[in-house]
Every structure is written in structure tokens, then in C-alpha cells.
Amino acid sequence: MELKVLNIKGAETGEVVTLNDEIFAVEVSEHAMYLDVKAILANRRQGTHKAKTRAEVRGGGRKPFRQKGTGNARQGSTRSGTMVGGGTIFGPVPRTYEQKVNRKVKQLARRSALSAKAAAGQIVVVEDFSFEAIKTRPVADMLKSLGLVEKKTLLMMPFYDNVVSTSGRNIEKLNVMIADQASTYDILNSQAVLFQKAALQKIEETLG
């Protein structure tokens, strides 16, 4: 697949790049993407939830009323899970939600995500750029020129650029990342993937 390279004003530069078919034109594996995204979201969870059992709730040391003759069900503590103010039965406890996905499956998932975006025409390539100072306006103007203002956009850079990254941080629908660090979830969670030209080579080195 060939794509025209645009400049930050949305005009064609006359340059054309050829996307690597091994990355941008593979058979999409929805199952691999499902496994990777599920693991990514699960690994974000802190797992610090906790509810107290009857052994941990304060009080309840004295038998609330005598065993027989009251007409009530016998009770040994007011902290039973069946009573108001009692402990929780089988409540949540701290745990890890970590899930492991094999490296080859993760790579297949990322290739599948990029291939799906390419097939949907949601990949845009711009020439390499940077800005002199940290300002939101140049990035906002670039997105407007490229017709991406209303779209959730993932900007892929070949390396970390503090000026570009910080300039785009205040734009709600823009996510700026280094190309080899973007996950399957990051790619699928965007409506358009905006590549700097050099970032294509970076992604090929990672997934090629």
C-alpha cells in the first residue's frame, strides 16, 4: 500500500511511502487483539479493593441475646454477615489482575491493529516536524489542516520530542507516543493514526 506524504499544513509534498505488507497488510487476527487488549486493561487495575469479614469488623465480642427462649434465630455475634453492621461474606480482597500474553501474540495483535487501520483508510503520514517552542496552537492548526480535529488521533513519533509531546498534551483527542511503544489498545482506541515519516521505519524495526 502506498500513501502520500503530507506536510503539517495538509498539502502534498510529492513524496510517496510504501507501507510494509508484513505489518500493514496482514490477515487481521481479532482473537490476538482481544487477548492483548484484555491483558492491557486488566494489568492497569490496582486490585486494592477490600471488604472486612466478620473477623475484622470492630465489636461483636458479646453474645447479643441468650441462646433459647427469645423466638429469634440463635446468634453468637452482632458482626455476623447476616446482620446489619456485620462483616461481608465472600467480599473482595486485594489481588493481582495481571495477565500474561506471549510476545508473538502481542506482535500479531499490533500488526493486526495497524492492518485494520490501513484497510479502513485511517492512517495518515506527515513529514518529520518539530516546533521551536512549547505551544498548543501549532499542533491544533496541524490537526485542523489534516482534517483530524474531531477525530481521536494517535500521533506516532520516531523518538521522544519534548516540545511536540508537551504541545499536544492539552488537546483532548490527541495522544502522542513513540512508535515502538504504542500498544494494540492505543492503536485500536484511535480513529486515526498519524505517522511522522521516520516513525514508519521505527515501527518496521520493531514489528518487521
Side-chain angles (χ1 to χ4, degrees):
M1 178 185 290
E2 292 186 343
L3 289 177
K4 294 177 180 178
V5 180
L6 308 177
N7 60 25
I8 60 174
K9 295 188 177 180
E12 295 180 9
T13 61
E15 227 178 327
V16 175
V17 292
T18 303
L19 300 182
N20 189 338
D21 287 347
E22 293 182 1
I23 299 173
F24 294 93
V26 300
E27 183 180 351
V28 176
S29 173
E30 291 187 0
H31 187 61
M33 292 192 293
Y34 160 73
L35 290 176
D36 196 21
V37 170
K38 183 164 70 80
I40 290 167
L41 296 181
N43 293 342
R44 288 183 179 182
R45 298 187 64 175
Q46 289 183 312
T48 53
H49 39 48
K50 177 72 173 75
K52 291 184 178 181
T53 66
R54 63 179 294 164
E56 296 164 326
V57 176
R58 178 183 174 87
R62 179 169 61 87
K63 189 174 175 66
F65 47 81
R66 60 197 177 97
Q67 179 81 346
K68 303 174 74 66
T70 65
N72 296 312
R74 55 193 175 185
Q75 297 288 345
S77 170
T78 55
R79 298 301 178 255
S80 163
T82 60
M83 298 189 73
V84 175
T88 302
I89 303 171
F90 301 131
V93 292
R95 54 166 289 213
T96 175
Y97 284 90
E98 184 178 359
Q99 296 181 18
K100 182 180 178 298
V101 178
N102 292 335
R103 183 175 58 86
K104 288 186 177 180
V105 176
K106 291 177 77 72
Q107 287 189 327
L108 175 59
R110 289 172 71 187
R111 290 193 195 104
S112 296
L114 289 170
S115 296
K117 291 296 179 186
Q122 295 178 345
I123 290 182
V124 181
V125 181
V126 293
E127 62 185 3
D128 298 337
F129 64 87
S130 186
F131 303 114
E132 295 180 357
I134 297 173
K135 287 187 181 232
T136 304
R137 178 54 63 86
V139 181
D141 289 342
M142 177 187 70
L143 294 176
K144 184 176 180 180
S145 300
L146 295 171
L148 301 176
V149 174
E150 298 300 324
K151 295 182 179 179
K152 190 183 286 187
T153 304
L154 173 63
L155 172 58
M156 298 270 217
M157 300 191 301
F159 51 83
Y160 180 72
D161 185 329
N162 183 58
V163 175
V164 175
S165 181
T166 310
S167 296
R169 190 167 57 189
N170 205 33
I171 299 177
E172 183 180 3
K173 293 188 176 182
L174 180 65
N175 188 14
V176 182
M177 300 194 74
I178 303 174
D180 60 356
Q181 293 181 0
S183 69
T184 305
Y185 177 76
D186 295 321
I187 297 168
L188 292 176
N189 194 37
S190 62
Q191 296 171 310
V193 182
L194 180 61
F195 277 97
Q196 284 191 358
K197 186 185 169 187
L200 288 172
Q201 183 178 355
K202 188 80 171 179
I203 206 85
E204 286 184 13
E205 292 173 359
T206 306
L207 300 176

